Short mmCIF file of all heavy atoms in Angstrom, two decimals:
data_model
loop_
_atom_site.label_atom_id
_atom_site.label_comp_id
_atom_site.label_asym_id
_atom_site.label_seq_id
_atom_site.Cartn_x
_atom_site.Cartn_y
_atom_site.Cartn_z
N ASN A 286 -4.51 8.73 -18.39
CA ASN A 286 -4.18 7.40 -17.96
C ASN A 286 -4.74 7.06 -16.60
O ASN A 286 -4.42 6.02 -15.96
CB ASN A 286 -2.61 7.22 -17.88
CG ASN A 286 -1.97 8.18 -16.89
OD1 ASN A 286 -2.67 9.00 -16.23
ND2 ASN A 286 -0.66 8.10 -16.75
N ALA A 287 -5.63 7.95 -16.07
CA ALA A 287 -6.24 7.73 -14.78
C ALA A 287 -7.70 8.13 -14.88
O ALA A 287 -8.06 9.22 -15.44
CB ALA A 287 -5.55 8.60 -13.71
N GLU A 288 -8.60 7.28 -14.35
CA GLU A 288 -10.03 7.54 -14.43
C GLU A 288 -10.72 7.10 -13.19
O GLU A 288 -10.43 5.98 -12.71
CB GLU A 288 -10.64 6.82 -15.63
CG GLU A 288 -12.16 7.00 -15.79
CD GLU A 288 -12.70 6.24 -17.00
OE1 GLU A 288 -11.99 6.26 -18.03
OE2 GLU A 288 -13.77 5.68 -16.88
N THR A 289 -11.60 7.98 -12.67
CA THR A 289 -12.37 7.62 -11.45
C THR A 289 -13.83 8.11 -11.58
O THR A 289 -14.05 9.27 -11.99
CB THR A 289 -11.76 8.28 -10.18
OG1 THR A 289 -10.38 8.00 -10.06
CG2 THR A 289 -12.49 7.82 -8.93
N ARG A 290 -14.77 7.22 -11.28
CA ARG A 290 -16.15 7.67 -11.20
C ARG A 290 -16.46 8.00 -9.78
O ARG A 290 -16.13 7.27 -8.84
CB ARG A 290 -17.08 6.52 -11.67
CG ARG A 290 -18.58 6.95 -11.60
CD ARG A 290 -19.45 5.78 -12.01
NE ARG A 290 -20.88 6.13 -12.11
CZ ARG A 290 -21.70 6.19 -11.03
NH1 ARG A 290 -21.24 5.87 -9.85
NH2 ARG A 290 -22.94 6.56 -11.17
N ILE A 291 -17.07 9.21 -9.56
CA ILE A 291 -17.35 9.71 -8.21
C ILE A 291 -18.81 10.00 -8.06
O ILE A 291 -19.40 10.68 -8.85
CB ILE A 291 -16.53 11.02 -7.94
CG1 ILE A 291 -15.02 10.73 -8.14
CG2 ILE A 291 -16.80 11.52 -6.57
CD1 ILE A 291 -14.18 11.95 -8.12
N GLU A 292 -19.40 9.47 -6.98
CA GLU A 292 -20.83 9.66 -6.70
C GLU A 292 -20.96 10.19 -5.25
O GLU A 292 -20.32 9.68 -4.35
CB GLU A 292 -21.57 8.34 -6.82
CG GLU A 292 -23.04 8.39 -6.55
CD GLU A 292 -23.72 7.05 -6.71
OE1 GLU A 292 -23.04 6.08 -7.07
OE2 GLU A 292 -24.93 6.93 -6.40
N ARG A 293 -21.78 11.17 -5.08
CA ARG A 293 -22.08 11.71 -3.78
C ARG A 293 -23.23 10.96 -3.19
O ARG A 293 -24.32 10.94 -3.79
CB ARG A 293 -22.34 13.20 -3.83
CG ARG A 293 -22.52 13.87 -2.48
CD ARG A 293 -22.39 15.32 -2.51
NE ARG A 293 -23.04 15.99 -3.64
CZ ARG A 293 -22.93 17.31 -3.93
NH1 ARG A 293 -22.17 18.09 -3.17
NH2 ARG A 293 -23.56 17.81 -4.95
N LEU A 294 -23.07 10.35 -2.00
CA LEU A 294 -24.10 9.45 -1.43
C LEU A 294 -24.96 10.21 -0.41
O LEU A 294 -26.17 9.89 -0.40
CB LEU A 294 -23.39 8.29 -0.77
CG LEU A 294 -22.53 7.39 -1.64
CD1 LEU A 294 -21.83 6.31 -0.82
CD2 LEU A 294 -23.39 6.80 -2.78
N GLU A 295 -24.35 10.98 0.42
CA GLU A 295 -25.19 11.64 1.50
C GLU A 295 -24.41 12.85 2.03
O GLU A 295 -23.18 12.94 1.83
CB GLU A 295 -25.47 10.67 2.67
CG GLU A 295 -24.17 10.22 3.40
CD GLU A 295 -24.50 9.34 4.57
OE1 GLU A 295 -25.67 9.18 4.92
OE2 GLU A 295 -23.52 8.82 5.21
N THR A 296 -25.08 13.78 2.61
CA THR A 296 -24.47 14.92 3.24
C THR A 296 -24.83 14.95 4.71
O THR A 296 -25.89 14.37 5.15
CB THR A 296 -24.91 16.24 2.60
OG1 THR A 296 -26.34 16.36 2.78
CG2 THR A 296 -24.59 16.24 1.09
N PHE A 297 -23.99 15.65 5.52
CA PHE A 297 -24.26 15.69 6.93
C PHE A 297 -23.45 16.87 7.51
O PHE A 297 -22.48 17.36 6.94
CB PHE A 297 -23.90 14.38 7.64
CG PHE A 297 -22.54 13.85 7.38
CD1 PHE A 297 -21.48 14.18 8.22
CD2 PHE A 297 -22.32 13.05 6.28
CE1 PHE A 297 -20.21 13.69 7.95
CE2 PHE A 297 -21.05 12.51 6.05
CZ PHE A 297 -20.00 12.87 6.90
N ASP A 298 -23.89 17.35 8.70
CA ASP A 298 -23.17 18.39 9.36
C ASP A 298 -21.94 17.88 10.00
O ASP A 298 -21.94 16.82 10.64
CB ASP A 298 -24.09 19.01 10.48
CG ASP A 298 -25.28 19.71 9.94
OD1 ASP A 298 -25.25 20.07 8.75
OD2 ASP A 298 -26.26 19.91 10.67
N ALA A 299 -20.84 18.61 9.86
CA ALA A 299 -19.57 18.16 10.41
C ALA A 299 -19.71 18.07 11.96
O ALA A 299 -20.25 19.03 12.61
CB ALA A 299 -18.48 19.19 10.07
N GLY A 300 -19.22 17.00 12.53
CA GLY A 300 -19.27 16.85 13.94
C GLY A 300 -20.57 16.52 14.57
O GLY A 300 -20.71 16.59 15.79
N THR A 301 -21.58 16.16 13.74
CA THR A 301 -22.89 15.77 14.28
C THR A 301 -23.36 14.48 13.62
O THR A 301 -22.66 13.92 12.75
CB THR A 301 -23.95 16.82 13.94
OG1 THR A 301 -24.32 16.75 12.54
CG2 THR A 301 -23.45 18.22 14.24
N SER A 302 -24.45 13.98 14.09
CA SER A 302 -25.02 12.77 13.47
C SER A 302 -26.17 13.08 12.55
O SER A 302 -27.03 12.28 12.24
CB SER A 302 -25.49 11.81 14.58
OG SER A 302 -26.48 12.44 15.38
N SER A 303 -26.31 14.37 12.18
CA SER A 303 -27.38 14.79 11.27
C SER A 303 -27.07 14.39 9.85
O SER A 303 -26.25 15.02 9.14
CB SER A 303 -27.59 16.32 11.36
OG SER A 303 -28.49 16.78 10.40
N ARG A 304 -27.66 13.29 9.37
CA ARG A 304 -27.42 12.76 8.06
C ARG A 304 -28.60 12.93 7.15
O ARG A 304 -29.70 12.92 7.59
CB ARG A 304 -27.05 11.27 8.12
CG ARG A 304 -26.03 10.86 9.18
CD ARG A 304 -24.73 11.40 8.88
NE ARG A 304 -23.61 10.66 9.53
CZ ARG A 304 -22.63 11.19 10.18
NH1 ARG A 304 -22.48 12.50 10.24
NH2 ARG A 304 -21.69 10.44 10.69
N ALA A 305 -28.29 13.04 5.84
CA ALA A 305 -29.37 13.12 4.87
C ALA A 305 -28.88 12.65 3.57
O ALA A 305 -27.75 13.04 3.13
CB ALA A 305 -29.86 14.57 4.75
#
Side-chain angles (χ1 to χ4, degrees):
N286 63 359
E288 177 179 321
T289 307
R290 181 184 184 274
I291 303 171
E292 179 181 358
R293 184 161 45 184
L294 300 177
E295 64 176 354
T296 64
F297 51 93
D298 293 340
T301 76
S302 59
S303 174
R304 312 294 203 224

